[in-house]
Amino acid sequence: MPVPVKRKIVEVLEGKTVAPPPLWLMRQAGRYLPEYRATRQQAGGFLDLCYTPDLAVEVTLQPIRRYSFDAAILFSDILVIPDALDRKVRFAPGEGPQMDPIDETGIYSLKADGTLQHLSPVLETVKRLRQELPAETALLGFCGAPWTVATYMIAGHGTPDQAPARLFGYRNRKALEHLLMFLAEISADYLVAQIDAGADAVQIFDSWAGVLGEAEFEAFAVKPVARMIEIVRGKRPNAKIIAFAKGAGMNLRHYRQKTGADAIGLDWSVPLSFAAELQKDGPVQGNLDPMRVVAGGQSLDDGIDAILQVLGNGPLIFNLGHGITPEADPDNVARLVKRVRGIA
Ligand code: CP3
Protein backbone atom coordinates (compact mmCIF):
# COMPACT_ATOMS: atom_id res chain seq x y z
CA MET A 1 0.00 0.00 0.00
CA PRO A 2 1.41 3.45 -0.88
CA VAL A 3 1.80 5.70 2.14
CA PRO A 4 -0.75 8.51 1.88
CA VAL A 5 1.01 11.85 1.51
CA LYS A 6 -0.37 15.14 2.72
CA ARG A 7 0.71 17.67 0.12
CA LYS A 8 1.76 21.02 1.53
CA ILE A 9 -0.77 23.06 -0.42
CA VAL A 10 -3.55 20.85 0.90
CA GLU A 11 -2.29 21.44 4.43
CA VAL A 12 -2.47 25.18 3.88
CA LEU A 13 -5.96 24.83 2.42
CA GLU A 14 -6.94 23.09 5.65
CA GLY A 15 -5.85 26.22 7.49
CA LYS A 16 -2.36 25.19 8.62
CA THR A 17 0.71 27.39 8.47
CA VAL A 18 3.52 25.76 6.51
CA ALA A 19 6.99 27.37 6.60
CA PRO A 20 8.38 28.15 4.12
CA PRO A 21 5.06 28.52 2.33
CA PRO A 22 4.34 26.21 -0.59
CA LEU A 23 4.39 27.93 -3.97
CA TRP A 24 3.21 27.72 -7.55
CA LEU A 25 2.71 30.44 -10.16
CA MET A 26 -0.39 31.22 -12.14
CA ARG A 27 0.32 30.46 -15.82
CA GLN A 28 3.49 28.65 -14.79
CA ALA A 29 3.33 26.62 -18.02
CA GLY A 30 3.61 29.07 -20.86
CA ARG A 31 5.46 31.19 -23.31
CA TYR A 32 8.26 32.35 -20.98
CA LEU A 33 9.62 28.77 -21.21
CA PRO A 34 11.49 27.76 -24.39
CA GLU A 35 10.41 24.12 -23.94
CA TYR A 36 6.76 25.26 -23.85
CA ARG A 37 7.20 27.20 -27.08
CA ALA A 38 8.71 24.12 -28.73
CA THR A 39 5.83 21.83 -27.69
CA ARG A 40 3.30 24.51 -28.62
CA GLN A 41 4.73 24.61 -32.13
CA GLN A 42 4.54 20.85 -32.41
CA ALA A 43 0.85 20.92 -31.36
CA GLY A 44 -0.29 23.33 -34.06
CA GLY A 45 -3.29 25.07 -32.52
CA PHE A 46 -3.55 26.07 -28.87
CA LEU A 47 -6.73 24.04 -28.37
CA ASP A 48 -5.01 21.01 -29.93
CA LEU A 49 -2.45 21.35 -27.17
CA CYS A 50 -5.25 21.44 -24.56
CA TYR A 51 -7.01 18.38 -26.03
CA THR A 52 -3.97 16.15 -26.64
CA PRO A 53 -3.20 14.46 -23.30
CA ASP A 54 0.39 13.51 -24.28
CA LEU A 55 1.25 17.14 -25.00
CA ALA A 56 -0.84 18.68 -22.22
CA VAL A 57 0.84 16.37 -19.68
CA GLU A 58 4.24 17.32 -21.07
CA VAL A 59 3.71 21.10 -20.78
CA THR A 60 2.18 20.74 -17.31
CA LEU A 61 5.31 18.89 -16.16
CA GLN A 62 7.84 21.26 -17.77
CA PRO A 63 7.76 23.91 -15.00
CA ILE A 64 7.75 21.17 -12.33
CA ARG A 65 10.95 19.65 -13.74
CA ARG A 66 12.65 23.02 -13.79
CA TYR A 67 11.51 24.47 -10.49
CA SER A 68 9.90 21.71 -8.36
CA PHE A 69 6.91 23.91 -7.60
CA ASP A 70 4.69 22.57 -4.83
CA ALA A 71 1.80 22.28 -7.26
CA ALA A 72 1.31 21.55 -10.92
CA ILE A 73 -1.67 23.22 -12.57
CA LEU A 74 -3.42 21.25 -15.25
CA PHE A 75 -2.61 22.67 -18.68
CA SER A 76 -5.86 23.74 -20.30
CA ASP A 77 -7.81 26.99 -20.60
CA ILE A 78 -10.95 28.50 -19.10
CA LEU A 79 -12.36 28.81 -22.63
CA VAL A 80 -12.65 25.03 -23.16
CA ILE A 81 -16.11 25.42 -21.58
CA PRO A 82 -17.50 27.70 -24.33
CA ASP A 83 -15.66 25.50 -26.82
CA ALA A 84 -17.50 22.47 -25.42
CA LEU A 85 -20.74 24.46 -25.77
CA ASP A 86 -20.03 24.78 -29.49
CA ARG A 87 -19.29 28.54 -29.44
CA LYS A 88 -16.46 27.99 -31.97
CA VAL A 89 -13.50 29.15 -29.91
CA ARG A 90 -10.36 30.10 -31.88
CA PHE A 91 -6.94 31.24 -30.74
CA ALA A 92 -5.51 33.24 -33.62
CA PRO A 93 -1.76 33.82 -33.20
CA GLY A 94 -1.08 37.22 -31.63
CA GLU A 95 -4.78 38.08 -31.36
CA GLY A 96 -6.02 36.35 -28.25
CA PRO A 97 -9.13 34.21 -28.05
CA GLN A 98 -12.11 34.68 -30.35
CA MET A 99 -15.50 33.02 -30.58
CA ASP A 100 -18.98 33.63 -31.94
CA PRO A 101 -20.53 36.35 -29.73
CA ILE A 102 -23.63 35.07 -27.96
CA ASP A 103 -27.01 36.89 -27.81
CA GLU A 104 -30.22 36.25 -25.83
CA THR A 105 -31.50 33.62 -28.22
CA GLY A 106 -28.15 31.87 -28.12
CA ILE A 107 -28.13 31.91 -24.33
CA TYR A 108 -31.55 30.31 -24.02
CA SER A 109 -30.65 27.61 -26.53
CA LEU A 110 -27.43 26.47 -24.82
CA LYS A 111 -27.45 22.75 -24.02
CA ALA A 112 -25.31 21.11 -21.37
CA ASP A 113 -25.48 17.64 -22.98
CA GLY A 114 -22.14 16.27 -24.06
CA THR A 115 -20.04 18.95 -22.34
CA LEU A 116 -18.08 16.55 -20.15
CA GLN A 117 -17.75 14.16 -23.08
CA HIS A 118 -16.10 16.95 -25.11
CA LEU A 119 -13.76 17.61 -22.18
CA SER A 120 -12.79 13.96 -21.68
CA PRO A 121 -9.24 14.49 -23.07
CA VAL A 122 -8.69 17.13 -20.35
CA LEU A 123 -9.88 14.69 -17.69
CA GLU A 124 -7.58 12.06 -19.17
CA THR A 125 -4.71 14.57 -18.80
CA VAL A 126 -5.57 15.00 -15.09
CA LYS A 127 -5.51 11.22 -14.56
CA ARG A 128 -2.16 10.79 -16.26
CA LEU A 129 -0.67 13.74 -14.41
CA ARG A 130 -1.50 12.26 -11.04
CA GLN A 131 0.39 9.12 -12.08
CA GLU A 132 3.41 11.01 -13.37
CA LEU A 133 3.85 13.76 -10.80
CA PRO A 134 6.15 13.33 -7.83
CA ALA A 135 4.14 12.18 -4.80
CA GLU A 136 4.78 15.43 -2.91
CA THR A 137 3.54 17.66 -5.76
CA ALA A 138 -0.10 18.71 -5.56
CA LEU A 139 -2.20 18.71 -8.71
CA LEU A 140 -4.54 21.65 -9.24
CA GLY A 141 -7.52 21.60 -11.54
CA PHE A 142 -9.31 24.78 -12.55
CA CYS A 143 -12.04 26.48 -14.49
CA GLY A 144 -13.14 30.04 -15.15
CA ALA A 145 -15.78 31.67 -12.96
CA PRO A 146 -19.10 32.12 -14.78
CA TRP A 147 -18.72 35.91 -15.05
CA THR A 148 -15.23 35.78 -16.59
CA VAL A 149 -16.21 33.05 -19.06
CA ALA A 150 -19.40 34.98 -19.92
CA THR A 151 -17.44 38.16 -20.70
CA TYR A 152 -15.63 36.34 -23.54
CA MET A 153 -18.82 34.62 -24.72
CA ILE A 154 -20.68 37.92 -24.93
CA ALA A 155 -17.97 40.07 -26.56
CA GLY A 156 -16.65 37.22 -28.68
CA HIS A 157 -13.09 38.28 -27.80
CA GLY A 158 -11.04 39.86 -25.02
CA THR A 159 -11.61 43.55 -24.24
CA PRO A 160 -9.76 45.91 -21.86
CA ASP A 161 -12.71 46.50 -19.51
CA GLN A 162 -15.43 44.04 -20.53
CA ALA A 163 -17.75 46.88 -21.52
CA PRO A 164 -19.85 44.62 -23.82
CA ALA A 165 -20.67 42.17 -21.00
CA ARG A 166 -21.36 44.96 -18.49
CA LEU A 167 -23.69 46.64 -20.96
CA PHE A 168 -25.39 43.33 -21.69
CA GLY A 169 -25.97 42.96 -17.92
CA TYR A 170 -27.86 46.26 -17.76
CA ARG A 171 -29.90 45.62 -20.88
CA ASN A 172 -30.52 41.89 -20.62
CA ARG A 173 -30.19 41.14 -16.93
CA LYS A 174 -32.36 38.01 -16.93
CA ALA A 175 -30.48 36.47 -19.85
CA LEU A 176 -27.11 37.17 -18.24
CA GLU A 177 -28.27 35.63 -14.96
CA HIS A 178 -29.49 32.59 -16.88
CA LEU A 179 -26.11 32.29 -18.61
CA LEU A 180 -24.21 32.62 -15.32
CA MET A 181 -26.27 29.96 -13.55
CA PHE A 182 -25.99 27.67 -16.58
CA LEU A 183 -22.19 28.08 -16.56
CA ALA A 184 -22.10 27.61 -12.78
CA GLU A 185 -23.76 24.23 -13.07
CA ILE A 186 -21.66 22.80 -15.89
CA SER A 187 -18.45 24.25 -14.43
CA ALA A 188 -19.25 22.66 -11.06
CA ASP A 189 -19.70 19.26 -12.71
CA TYR A 190 -16.45 19.81 -14.59
CA LEU A 191 -14.60 20.56 -11.33
CA VAL A 192 -16.09 17.46 -9.68
CA ALA A 193 -14.85 15.41 -12.66
CA GLN A 194 -11.36 16.92 -12.27
CA ILE A 195 -11.34 16.07 -8.56
CA ASP A 196 -12.46 12.52 -9.32
CA ALA A 197 -9.69 12.23 -11.92
CA GLY A 198 -7.06 13.14 -9.30
CA ALA A 199 -6.93 16.90 -8.68
CA ASP A 200 -6.03 17.68 -5.04
CA ALA A 201 -7.68 21.09 -5.21
CA VAL A 202 -9.26 23.34 -7.80
CA GLN A 203 -9.01 27.05 -8.53
CA ILE A 204 -11.84 29.19 -9.90
CA PHE A 205 -10.47 32.11 -11.95
CA ASP A 206 -12.62 35.25 -11.89
CA SER A 207 -10.07 37.40 -13.70
CA TRP A 208 -12.64 40.07 -14.56
CA ALA A 209 -14.40 40.41 -11.19
CA GLY A 210 -12.78 43.83 -10.75
CA VAL A 211 -14.76 45.56 -13.52
CA LEU A 212 -18.07 45.11 -11.70
CA GLY A 213 -19.91 47.73 -9.65
CA GLU A 214 -21.04 46.90 -6.13
CA ALA A 215 -24.46 45.43 -6.93
CA GLU A 216 -23.20 43.61 -10.01
CA PHE A 217 -20.27 42.10 -8.11
CA GLU A 218 -22.81 40.54 -5.79
CA ALA A 219 -25.08 39.27 -8.54
CA PHE A 220 -22.54 38.27 -11.21
CA ALA A 221 -19.43 37.27 -9.24
CA VAL A 222 -20.46 36.21 -5.71
CA LYS A 223 -23.75 34.47 -6.41
CA PRO A 224 -22.69 32.16 -9.29
CA VAL A 225 -19.42 31.19 -7.59
CA ALA A 226 -21.28 30.49 -4.31
CA ARG A 227 -23.66 28.27 -6.31
CA MET A 228 -20.75 26.45 -7.97
CA ILE A 229 -19.07 25.77 -4.66
CA GLU A 230 -22.36 24.63 -3.15
CA ILE A 231 -22.80 22.10 -5.97
CA VAL A 232 -19.20 20.86 -5.76
CA ARG A 233 -19.37 20.46 -1.96
CA GLY A 234 -22.79 18.80 -2.23
CA LYS A 235 -21.12 16.11 -4.32
CA ARG A 236 -17.61 16.09 -2.84
CA PRO A 237 -17.79 17.49 0.72
CA ASN A 238 -14.00 17.54 1.16
CA ALA A 239 -13.24 19.39 -2.07
CA LYS A 240 -10.54 22.03 -1.60
CA ILE A 241 -11.28 25.24 -3.49
CA ILE A 242 -9.29 28.41 -4.16
CA ALA A 243 -11.23 31.37 -5.58
CA PHE A 244 -9.32 34.13 -7.35
CA ALA A 245 -11.42 37.25 -7.92
CA LYS A 246 -8.98 39.66 -9.49
CA GLY A 247 -9.61 43.30 -8.62
CA ALA A 248 -12.20 42.47 -5.94
CA GLY A 249 -10.33 44.59 -3.35
CA MET A 250 -12.47 45.50 -0.36
CA ASN A 251 -15.05 42.90 -1.33
CA LEU A 252 -12.67 40.03 -0.68
CA ARG A 253 -13.59 39.41 2.94
CA HIS A 254 -17.23 38.89 2.24
CA TYR A 255 -16.40 37.13 -1.04
CA ARG A 256 -14.77 34.34 0.96
CA GLN A 257 -17.61 34.24 3.50
CA LYS A 258 -20.38 34.16 0.92
CA THR A 259 -18.77 31.80 -1.60
CA GLY A 260 -17.35 29.39 0.97
CA ALA A 261 -13.97 29.14 -0.80
CA ASP A 262 -11.21 27.61 1.36
CA ALA A 263 -8.62 30.11 0.16
CA ILE A 264 -8.83 33.38 -1.69
CA GLY A 265 -6.36 34.50 -4.32
CA LEU A 266 -5.09 38.07 -4.02
CA ASP A 267 -3.89 40.23 -6.87
CA TRP A 268 -0.91 42.54 -6.31
CA SER A 269 -3.07 45.61 -5.70
CA VAL A 270 -4.33 44.16 -2.41
CA PRO A 271 -2.37 45.95 0.34
CA LEU A 272 -0.43 43.52 2.52
CA SER A 273 -1.96 45.03 5.67
CA PHE A 274 -5.43 44.15 4.36
CA ALA A 275 -4.15 40.74 3.19
CA ALA A 276 -3.06 40.06 6.78
CA GLU A 277 -6.60 40.87 7.95
CA LEU A 278 -8.02 38.50 5.34
CA GLN A 279 -5.59 35.81 6.49
CA LYS A 280 -7.18 35.87 9.96
CA ASP A 281 -10.29 34.38 8.36
CA GLY A 282 -8.39 31.68 6.43
CA PRO A 283 -5.69 30.88 3.89
CA VAL A 284 -4.65 33.41 1.27
CA GLN A 285 -2.74 32.99 -1.99
CA GLY A 286 -0.64 35.57 -3.78
CA ASN A 287 0.28 38.25 -4.51
CA LEU A 288 3.55 39.28 -6.17
CA ASP A 289 3.26 41.65 -9.12
CA PRO A 290 4.21 39.59 -12.22
CA MET A 291 6.23 42.61 -13.43
CA ARG A 292 8.64 42.04 -10.55
CA VAL A 293 9.49 38.70 -12.16
CA VAL A 294 10.21 40.51 -15.42
CA ALA A 295 12.29 43.17 -13.63
CA GLY A 296 14.23 40.66 -11.50
CA GLY A 297 17.01 41.76 -9.13
CA GLN A 298 16.23 43.89 -6.11
CA SER A 299 12.61 44.56 -7.19
CA LEU A 300 11.99 40.84 -7.23
CA ASP A 301 13.68 40.20 -3.88
CA ASP A 302 11.95 43.12 -2.16
CA GLY A 303 8.52 42.06 -3.37
CA ILE A 304 9.04 38.49 -2.16
CA ASP A 305 10.43 39.57 1.21
CA ALA A 306 7.52 41.92 1.89
CA ILE A 307 4.98 39.15 1.30
CA LEU A 308 6.88 36.63 3.41
CA GLN A 309 7.33 39.11 6.22
CA VAL A 310 3.66 40.06 6.47
CA LEU A 311 1.94 36.81 5.48
CA GLY A 312 4.58 34.14 6.12
CA ASN A 313 3.44 33.38 9.67
CA GLY A 314 -0.06 32.36 8.66
CA PRO A 315 -1.66 30.06 6.10
CA LEU A 316 -0.15 31.23 2.80
CA ILE A 317 0.28 29.79 -0.67
CA PHE A 318 2.93 31.92 -2.32
CA ASN A 319 1.97 32.94 -5.85
CA LEU A 320 1.89 35.87 -8.21
CA GLY A 321 -0.98 38.35 -8.20
CA HIS A 322 -1.83 37.28 -11.77
CA GLY A 323 -0.32 35.10 -14.48
CA ILE A 324 3.37 35.15 -15.30
CA THR A 325 3.96 36.97 -18.59
CA PRO A 326 5.86 35.76 -21.68
CA GLU A 327 8.58 38.40 -21.01
CA ALA A 328 9.56 36.86 -17.66
CA ASP A 329 13.10 35.51 -17.55
CA PRO A 330 13.21 31.82 -16.49
CA ASP A 331 16.29 32.63 -14.37
CA ASN A 332 14.23 35.12 -12.38
CA VAL A 333 11.72 32.36 -11.66
CA ALA A 334 14.56 30.19 -10.35
CA ARG A 335 15.66 33.08 -8.15
CA LEU A 336 12.09 33.52 -6.85
CA VAL A 337 11.76 29.84 -5.94
CA LYS A 338 15.05 29.86 -4.02
CA ARG A 339 14.20 33.01 -2.16
CA VAL A 340 10.72 31.86 -1.12
CA ARG A 341 12.29 28.62 0.11
CA GLY A 342 14.93 30.53 2.03
CA ILE A 343 17.92 29.23 0.08
CA ALA A 344 19.04 32.52 -1.49
O1 CP3 B 1 -1.60 28.32 -15.32
C1 CP3 B 1 -1.22 27.49 -16.17
O2 CP3 B 1 -0.05 27.37 -16.55
C2 CP3 B 1 -2.27 26.54 -16.71
C3 CP3 B 1 -2.84 26.88 -17.96
C4 CP3 B 1 -3.75 28.09 -18.14
C5 CP3 B 1 -3.84 28.78 -19.39
N1 CP3 B 1 -4.84 29.70 -19.30
C6 CP3 B 1 -3.01 28.50 -20.56
C7 CP3 B 1 -2.92 29.49 -21.64
C8 CP3 B 1 -4.70 28.68 -17.28
C9 CP3 B 1 -4.98 28.40 -15.81
C10 CP3 B 1 -5.37 29.70 -18.03
C11 CP3 B 1 -6.47 30.52 -17.49
C12 CP3 B 1 -7.07 31.58 -18.31
N2 CP3 B 1 -7.27 31.61 -19.66
C13 CP3 B 1 -7.64 32.76 -17.77
C14 CP3 B 1 -7.72 33.09 -16.30
C15 CP3 B 1 -6.43 33.53 -15.72
C16 CP3 B 1 -5.93 34.81 -16.26
O3 CP3 B 1 -4.80 34.82 -16.76
O4 CP3 B 1 -6.62 35.83 -16.13
C17 CP3 B 1 -8.12 33.53 -18.84
C18 CP3 B 1 -8.80 34.88 -18.75
C19 CP3 B 1 -7.89 32.78 -20.04
C20 CP3 B 1 -8.29 33.14 -21.42
C21 CP3 B 1 -7.13 33.25 -22.33
N3 CP3 B 1 -6.37 32.18 -22.75
C22 CP3 B 1 -6.61 34.41 -22.91
C23 CP3 B 1 -7.14 35.81 -22.68
C24 CP3 B 1 -5.52 34.03 -23.69
C25 CP3 B 1 -4.70 34.90 -24.62
C26 CP3 B 1 -3.85 35.84 -23.87
C27 CP3 B 1 -2.59 35.16 -23.46
O5 CP3 B 1 -2.20 35.27 -22.27
O6 CP3 B 1 -1.95 34.58 -24.34
C28 CP3 B 1 -5.34 32.63 -23.54
C29 CP3 B 1 -4.30 31.80 -24.16
C30 CP3 B 1 -3.48 30.93 -23.26
N4 CP3 B 1 -3.95 30.18 -22.23
C31 CP3 B 1 -2.08 30.72 -23.38
C32 CP3 B 1 -1.72 29.80 -22.37
C33 CP3 B 1 -0.37 29.21 -22.11
C34 CP3 B 1 -1.17 31.30 -24.45
C35 CP3 B 1 -1.51 30.63 -25.74
C36 CP3 B 1 -0.32 30.32 -26.61
O7 CP3 B 1 0.56 29.55 -26.21
O8 CP3 B 1 -0.31 30.85 -27.71
Side-chain angles (χ1 to χ4, degrees), residues 68-242:
S68 311
F69 288 122
D70 295 284
I73 182 160
L74 160 70
F75 189 86
S76 178
D77 197 85
I78 65 165
L79 300 178
V80 296
I81 289 281
D83 189 56
L85 294 169
D86 214 18
R87 300 307 303 168
K88 314 258 180 306
V89 176
R90 310 168 294 271
F91 285 84
E95 285 184 36
Q98 299 193 7
M99 68 193 81
D100 294 350
I102 200 163
D103 59 11
E104 260 200 64
T105 318
I107 288 174
Y108 289 111
S109 44
L110 286 169
K111 298 267 178 303
D113 317 341
T115 314
L116 285 187
Q117 185 54 35
H118 180 96
L119 297 171
S120 60
V122 181
L123 299 168
E124 172 67 21
T125 302
V126 175
K127 260 188 217 146
R128 290 203 210 165
L129 279 167
R130 193 55 278 171
Q131 288 160 9
E132 296 200 22
L133 280 167
E136 68 276 14
T137 312
L139 175 57
L140 303 178
F142 74 93
C143 71
W147 164 248
T148 287
V149 173
T151 62
Y152 291 95
M153 292 179 77
I154 292 166
H157 51 82
T159 76
D161 55 5
Q162 303 303 356
R166 283 154 52 216
L167 187 57
F168 190 88
Y170 295 119
R171 288 185 171 154
N172 313 68
R173 169 103 181 198
K174 283 230 141 37
L176 178 60
E177 285 178 344
H178 178 86
L179 175 60
L180 296 174
M181 282 303 151
F182 176 87
L183 290 172
E185 287 175 18
I186 54 171
S187 305
D189 288 345
Y190 179 44
L191 291 182
V192 168
Q194 293 181 34
I195 292 166
D196 291 348
D200 294 282
V202 291
Q203 173 155 321
I204 300 169
F205 285 89
D206 214 346
S207 306
W208 291 102
V211 302
L212 292 167
E214 189 175 4
E216 292 71 33
F217 181 81
E218 217 40 52
F220 306 154
V222 176
K223 200 172 160 207
V225 170
R227 176 74 189 127
M228 268 175 81
I229 294 182
E230 180 185 51
I231 299 173
V232 173
R233 292 256 168 73
K235 296 184 176 173
R236 301 293 176 269
N238 296 322
K240 289 283 169 277
I241 303 171
I242 306 167

